[in-house]
Amino acid sequence: MKSDSLIIIPTYNEKENISNIIHVVLGMEEHQFDILVLDDNSPDGTGAIVDDLIKNEFPDRLHIIKRPGKMGLGTAYITGFKWALQHDYQYVIEMDADFSHRPEDLIPLQQACAQGGADLAVGSRYINGVNVVNWPMGRILMSYFASIYVRLITGMKVHDTTAGFVCYRREVLESIDLDNIEFKGYAFQIEMKFTAYKMGFHIVEVPIIFVNRVLGTSKMSGGIFSEAMFGVIKLKWSSWFNKQKFARKTSAPAQLTPGE
């Protein structure tokens, strides 16, 4: 039976992790999830591993969209959101492939939207102190104070504004003009939350423990943080002078373009 909940996992060179994360998530008994992998033509063969799992183990619950190359985290999620809406999923969850987002935290995240009245549930590293394992102190401080900075500029009452472990009710994704989302890195995560906040959707934070990856290579860079810092100012400016950007859509969801 088709799940009501889709997990979107963007990948680039995740061969060490992708099979394990898929088996763990699709093997969960507490709730049935489906998975959509967005692979940016990983040269290490990540996409081929997913193809094999679809063919031999999970033909109905695992899906993949292959893109021609690295096109940015934000565009991957936008493609996944559109696919989820077209396939009638009620809850759509962003998740990393590297186990930094623990599969056991999927249940409270999904339940916050399905049963707890949230429109958008954020898997928060900072709602109850700092719950990050095995990150260098410098990176923890950068991330933590970046979220404080975003809160001060935007006025959002969200402690983990850059979090990438998020569950959306489909109504949120239907209401946002996904083709008008501008940013690709950390600022994408901020922009989605800020847009939902300005539209009046109910955002809650669910405490999680974030564990730094053990296998594979991090995709973080200083440029991602720079985009976030300057992007926040642009978002706040837009909220003053571009009201249309934050108006809820009343038309049908944006369609996938050819090749997505």
Side-chain angles (χ1 to χ4, degrees):
M1 184 174 67
K2 179 177 177 293
S3 173
D4 62 352
S5 305
L6 180 72
I7 299 170
I8 300 174
I9 303 179
T11 57
Y12 184 78
N13 287 348
E14 292 288 356
K15 69 177 182 179
E16 297 93 345
N17 296 301
I18 192 62
S19 180
N20 288 337
I21 194 72
I22 288 170
H23 278 100
V24 171
V25 171
L26 297 187
M28 296 175 67
E29 297 180 355
E30 299 92 331
H31 187 84
Q32 178 176 303
F33 296 95
D34 292 348
I35 294 177
L36 172 66
V37 173
L38 271 295
D39 186 65
D40 279 0
N41 196 27
S42 299
D44 71 348
T46 298
I49 293 171
V50 178
D51 285 337
D52 185 66
L53 291 172
I54 292 172
K55 179 180 178 181
N56 296 307
E57 297 188 52
F58 307 110
D60 300 318
R61 299 180 58 197
L62 178 60
H63 313 275
I64 187 170
I65 295 176
K66 296 180 180 179
R67 307 200 303 168
K70 293 184 72 174
M71 301 166 65
L73 181 70
T75 62
Y77 275 127
I78 294 299
T79 298
F81 293 159
K82 293 179 181 180
W83 191 94
L85 293 176
Q86 289 184 332
H87 290 81
D88 299 321
Y89 287 95
Q90 301 303 308
Y91 308 99
V92 183
I93 301 171
E94 301 177 356
M95 187 179 191
D96 290 347
D98 60 8
F99 285 93
S100 57
H101 301 146
R102 303 185 308 167
E104 57 262 41
D105 290 327
L106 285 166
I107 303 301
L109 202 64
Q110 192 269 352
Q111 288 180 346
C113 290
Q115 302 174 19
D119 296 311
L120 191 159
V122 178
S124 178
R125 299 163 290 185
Y126 306 130
I127 188 66
N128 290 334
V130 178
N131 292 310
V132 177
V133 178
N134 292 336
W135 257 10
M137 183 56 65
R139 186 167 172 185
I140 292 174
L141 292 173
M142 183 180 293
S143 174
Y144 181 75
F145 285 107
S147 282
I148 292 176
Y149 166 78
V150 173
R151 290 176 65 195
L152 290 173
I153 297 296
T154 64
M156 279 194 294
K157 308 302 182 185
V158 176
H159 291 78
D160 196 350
T161 54
T162 60
F165 197 20
V166 182
C167 180
Y168 297 88
R169 290 178 64 243
R170 70 172 288 120
E171 288 80 2
V172 178
L173 299 177
E174 286 175 329
S175 299
I176 293 174
D177 185 352
L178 297 174
D179 292 321
N180 202 27
I181 297 297
E182 299 180 43
F183 296 108
K184 296 181 179 181
Y186 254 29
F188 164 80
Q189 301 292 0
I190 300 166
E191 184 175 5
M192 287 295 295
K193 295 178 187 70
F194 183 64
T195 303
Y197 164 75
K198 292 297 292 185
M199 288 181 170
F201 286 110
H202 181 43
I203 303 174
V204 302
E205 291 185 84
V206 176
I208 66 163
I209 296 175
F210 182 94
V211 182
N212 194 29
R213 68 162 63 232
V214 175
L215 300 175
T217 304
S218 173
K219 313 305 187 296
M220 296 296 297
S221 69
I224 290 175
F225 280 102
S226 296
E227 182 196 49
M229 294 301 98
F230 292 106
V232 170
I233 297 173
K234 185 175 181 181
L235 285 173
K236 186 63 176 179
W237 181 271
S238 294
S239 72
W240 290 336
F241 299 105
N242 184 9
K243 303 295 185 182
Q244 186 61 35
K245 177 182 175 68
F246 303 99
R248 294 194 186 188
K249 287 178 59 178
T250 56
S251 57
Q255 299 297 304
L256 287 169
T257 56
E260 291 185 332

